[in-house]
Amino acid sequence: MDDPIPIITFRNGTEVPALGQGTWGMGEDAGHASQEIAALQAGLDLGMTMIDTAEMYGDGGAEEIVGRAIKGRRDETFIVSKVYPWNASRKGTIAACEGSLERLGTDHIDLYLLHWRGNYPLAETVGAFEQLKAAGKIRAWGVSNFDVDDMQELLSVPGGQNVAANQVLYNISRRGIEYDLLPWCQSRNIPIMAYSPIEQGRVLHHPDLIHMAKAYQATPAQLALAFLLEREGVFVIPKTSNIERARENRGCVSLDITDEDWEALDEVFPPPAKKTPLEML
Ligand SMILES: NC(=O)c1ccc[n+]([C@@H]2O[C@H](COP(=O)([O-])OP(=O)(O)OC[C@H]3O[C@@H](n4cnc5c(N)ncnc54)[C@H](OP(=O)(O)O)[C@@H]3O)[C@@H](O)[C@H]2O)c1
């Protein structure tokens, strides 16, 4: 029996397991579809019920994969999707959401995000999000790739206070948000969704991470994910198209890192000493 995944409660009261699944790179090749669907379903079986996708991924193909993976099990999933900034006008956001709903094969998206800031005024996008919420097409909305100044501006527009989450690049090798954005969001109960949580695989080759993981009879991916899961109000959404890796990633919740090893990790991957602009992938 796996240890339970920690739960994060959104400001609207919805409770969601903090370890979910990403889908960037899925839906690009029909030959990989069955493997991608099987991996997502294995993740669901293991309790990783938040699935993150976007109209961008695979040009809608990833949303179709998610739709196929959750067929018959919509009630146990929490679906996150995103609108392109250049679609984020009042009308464009509504149309983009309709397209995503169609590809996902569902009548609502649990959390709908602005993928990154574009040229449309935030007030216009927020207006569209609130309209979609009132119509029951989305349950909540949020943003992605927003730094503290963007968040402050967002909170100043009508309805902006309803932002439910901010999805940003965050992993053990990129700790910049710990300086300001993370505490800023934590103090307002706005969860962070950490994307590229294993740095798209690159951080797994770090010799110190490999060495410490071995001491816990764990893998570097498990240690990198455990590092994020430990933080309050942080969702972690690793992507894998491989059932074995889905199991491996799920296993990160069982790591109990000692105080000495937390300090050792800080030596190898130092927390930020000053403000750095939010990075994006
Ligand atoms: N909002 C944004 O702007 C934004 C940007 C980037 C990502 N995201 C979201 O965040 C999700 C996660 O980020 P990401 O996909 O960029 O990177 P990631 O989750 O850090 O890494 C994914 C890569 O690592 C591999 N992998 C997964 N588990 C592994 C394991 N246990 N051992 C070794 N390799 C493993 C995967 O390959 P296999 O599939 O072959 O296992 C894939 O190549 C995305 O899928 C997407 O949903 C959002």
Side-chain angles (χ1 to χ4, degrees):
M1 185 71 180
D2 290 306
D3 289 326
I5 302 174
I7 299 288
I8 295 176
T9 307
F10 283 100
R11 286 193 296 176
N12 67 5
T14 307
E15 296 184 337
V16 181
L19 183 64
Q21 309 187 73
T23 64
W24 192 13
M26 292 189 184
E28 291 177 358
D29 180 337
H32 297 159
S34 58
Q35 197 191 341
E36 292 163 354
I37 291 166
L40 287 174
Q41 290 177 334
L44 289 181
D45 294 341
L46 293 163
M48 299 188 283
T49 54
M50 170 186 272
I51 301 182
D52 178 77
T53 190
E55 62 172 333
M56 174 182 134
Y57 304 160
D59 218 0
E63 289 180 323
E64 287 174 1
I65 293 288
V66 174
R68 290 168 65 186
I70 65 169
K71 208 169 165 54
R73 33 195 322 190
R74 176 69 183 94
D75 291 351
E76 56 180 290
T77 57
F78 184 94
I79 301 298
V80 183
S81 194
K82 314 186 194 78
V83 56
Y84 269 129
W86 49 85
N87 284 342
S89 63
R90 182 100 190 192
K91 277 191 179 158
T93 304
I94 312 271
C97 182
E98 298 285 1
S100 290
L101 289 171
E102 180 77 29
R103 288 186 292 273
L104 288 161
T106 183
D107 62 357
H108 72 279
I109 289 168
D110 296 284
L111 178 63
Y112 197 41
L113 309 179
L114 172 61
H115 209 147
W116 63 89
R117 266 197 92 160
N119 295 330
Y120 287 109
L122 290 176
E124 190 173 334
T125 309
V126 170
F129 282 156
E130 288 294 329
Q131 191 179 328
L132 285 166
K133 209 165 75 178
K137 296 192 171 175
I138 64 172
R139 294 273 154 85
W141 62 265
V143 291
S144 179
N145 297 299
F146 270 44
D147 208 342
V148 173
D149 53 347
D150 301 307
M151 291 301 285
Q152 284 167 331
E153 194 181 327
L154 177 64
L155 292 200
S156 73
V157 309
Q161 302 80 356
N162 293 335
V163 59
N166 184 12
Q167 183 176 125
V168 295
L169 175 59
Y170 181 33
N171 64 51
I172 196 168
S173 68
R174 299 198 198 237
R175 299 181 60 175
I177 70 163
E178 290 176 21
Y179 188 79
D180 53 353
L181 182 63
L182 180 60
W184 191 94
C185 287
Q186 284 170 328
S187 68
R188 288 161 182 81
N189 201 10
I190 301 170
I192 286 282
M193 296 178 66
Y195 76 66
S196 306
I198 56 170
E199 184 65 14
Q200 301 183 329
R202 290 181 290 272
V203 79
L204 307 183
H205 306 292
H206 196 291
D208 294 311
L209 197 68
I210 294 171
H211 182 74
M212 190 184 288
K214 264 200 189 122
Y216 284 92
Q217 293 176 314
T219 66
Q222 288 173 328
L223 182 52
L225 295 172
F227 168 88
L228 293 169
L229 261 197
E230 182 75 16
R231 273 127 240 275
E232 185 200 320
V234 175
F235 285 101
V236 186
I237 48 167
K239 175 265 172 185
T240 183
S241 303
N242 176 308
I243 293 180
E244 284 311 314
R245 283 179 175 170
R247 291 205 184 100
E248 176 189 334
N249 294 346
R250 171 66 173 85
C252 75
V253 299
S254 303
L255 257 73
D256 195 4
I257 300 164
T258 63
D259 289 346
E260 293 73 38
D261 282 338
W262 280 120
E263 282 166 27
L265 284 173
D266 280 347
E267 293 284 318
V268 181
F269 303 100
K274 59 178 176 50
K275 167 74 186 164
T276 43
L278 181 63
E279 297 173 284
M280 252 181 100
L281 280 183

